[in-house]
Amino acid sequence: MVSNSMEMKAVEEKAVGPWKEAWRSLKKSKAALVGTVIVLFFILLALFGPLFAPQGINDQNLSVRLLPPSGEFWFGTDDFGRDIFSRIVHGARISLAVGFLSVVMSAVVGSFLGIIAGYYGRILDTIISRLFDIMLAFPSILLAIAIVSILGPSLQNALIAIAIINIPNFGRLIRSKVLSVKEEEYIVAAKAIGMKDSRILLRHILPNSFSPIIVQGTLAIATAIIEAAALSFLGLGAVAPQPEWGKMLSDARVHLMTAPWTMVFPGLAIMLTVLGFNLMGDGLRDALDPKMKN
């Protein structure tokens, strides 16, 4: 009995679930760990940073305008005398919120369309696939500019535009995954015993599509943050006095030579955040994709 219990324990220790195995693979990648640390830092900064920001984001004091970084103003001040550090800390909430929300919206809609196209095929697949092809024929930033121009410049409309332009990426990814999964024996068996399509989609096909969704979503957040900053830089996203990083870059253009810190720190915030999500996304792809493990 003792030997049997020891053998069972050894088998249980060797039996590792796919998510636990992915976590072990992720921990082996130094680049992925660095990206995860960066992402967690900015998430914590967005959640708790405003509690420690020394100045109000819109507190203007023209007597201290365009001061370089110092002990009182860590990142210096802008042309209105506002503390750049406080505005970057509050801006982390805006950039991360736009990134997460837009990706969630595009992932939900894109996954739904991709599952419908891949599972049912025929005319639905043709219509949805051609719609994706048309959207992907345009450069993403130009399509986002066109959508925001129609809806009107605002941060909310920029979020909607970013969500729309990312729908085809999720849709085509999930469609290809569904096309391969639906031919598996357990799906064929489920159809043979009369299981409803909705149950097959929710209980079998969708769970098996989570891995590519997670990887694509992580990488898409980085792209969404850049696109949101680009729209705000062009005057189509955040409006004054919102402390959005792209808007801060746009406002600081005229002071590039005289007060470069007004552009350097918002630019570094965008660069580090995007770098963190890209490194973490690459690590997740290597950990969750069996083809990449060797």
Side-chain angles (χ1 to χ4, degrees):
M1 294 293 292
V2 176
S3 61
N4 290 337
S5 62
M6 293 179 64
E7 290 178 359
M8 291 178 63
K9 186 176 181 181
V11 171
E12 290 177 356
E13 289 179 352
K14 291 181 180 179
V16 180
W19 292 105
K20 192 173 182 180
E21 184 180 355
W23 170 242
R24 289 183 178 180
S25 301
L26 185 64
K27 289 192 295 184
K28 295 179 182 178
S29 174
K30 294 182 179 179
L33 289 178
V34 170
T36 303
V37 170
I38 295 174
V39 170
L40 289 176
F41 170 77
F42 277 98
I43 290 176
L44 293 175
L45 184 69
L47 293 175
F48 304 108
L51 298 176
F52 306 100
Q55 306 289 336
I57 58 175
N58 295 319
D59 294 344
Q60 300 183 18
N61 186 356
L62 296 180
S63 63
V64 295
R65 66 188 298 268
L66 298 178
L67 289 182
S70 63
E72 182 179 2
F73 302 105
W74 294 351
F75 289 177
T77 60
D78 62 10
D79 54 344
F80 289 101
R82 297 173 297 193
D83 181 48
I84 295 177
F85 174 76
S86 298
R87 290 178 62 79
I88 287 179
V89 168
H90 284 80
R93 286 185 170 183
I94 297 176
S95 294
L96 290 179
V98 171
F100 279 109
L101 292 176
S102 63
V103 168
V104 168
M105 292 168 60
S106 57
V108 171
V109 178
S111 298
F112 173 77
L113 294 176
I115 288 175
I116 297 299
Y119 186 77
Y120 291 104
R122 297 182 181 179
I123 186 65
L124 285 175
D125 185 19
T126 301
I127 294 173
I128 294 175
S129 297
R130 295 298 79 76
L131 176 62
F132 289 162
D133 291 340
I134 292 172
M135 295 178 66
L136 291 172
F138 297 92
S140 59
I141 188 62
L142 292 181
L143 185 58
I145 291 173
I147 295 173
V148 175
S149 299
I150 294 172
L151 299 178
S154 72
L155 189 61
Q156 292 78 9
N157 291 338
L159 188 154
I160 294 173
I162 295 170
I164 292 174
I165 63 177
N166 283 314
I167 287 175
N169 297 325
F170 286 94
R172 297 186 69 176
L173 177 69
I174 301 306
R175 174 184 174 275
S176 62
K177 182 68 175 179
V178 171
L179 287 175
S180 62
V181 171
K182 76 174 186 178
E183 301 299 331
E184 297 289 339
E185 293 182 358
Y186 65 92
I187 299 295
V188 176
K191 292 179 179 179
I193 63 175
M195 185 177 291
K196 294 182 179 179
D197 289 344
S198 58
R199 191 175 181 185
I200 294 175
L201 291 173
L202 293 176
R203 296 195 59 179
H204 298 292
I205 293 181
L206 186 59
N208 282 284
S209 303
F210 274 145
S211 295
I213 291 176
I214 293 173
V215 174
Q216 178 63 30
T218 305
L219 297 172
I221 291 175
T223 304
I225 291 174
I226 293 179
E227 290 167 343
L231 291 173
S232 296
F233 185 85
L234 296 173
L236 298 173
V239 296
Q242 290 177 311
E244 200 276 333
W245 295 337
K247 179 62 176 174
M248 293 175 66
L249 283 175
S250 178
D251 294 339
R253 285 178 300 173
V254 295
H255 305 294
L256 176 60
M257 302 304 297
T258 57
W261 58 86
T262 57
M263 290 194 70
V264 168
F265 291 111
L268 284 175
I270 296 173
M271 183 197 72
L272 290 174
T273 307
V274 172
L275 176 64
F277 277 106
N278 280 332
L279 290 177
M280 188 172 71
D282 288 340
L284 286 173
R285 181 187 58 193
D286 296 342
L288 295 175
D289 188 352
K291 298 179 182 178
M292 302 292 292
K293 292 182 180 179
N294 295 326

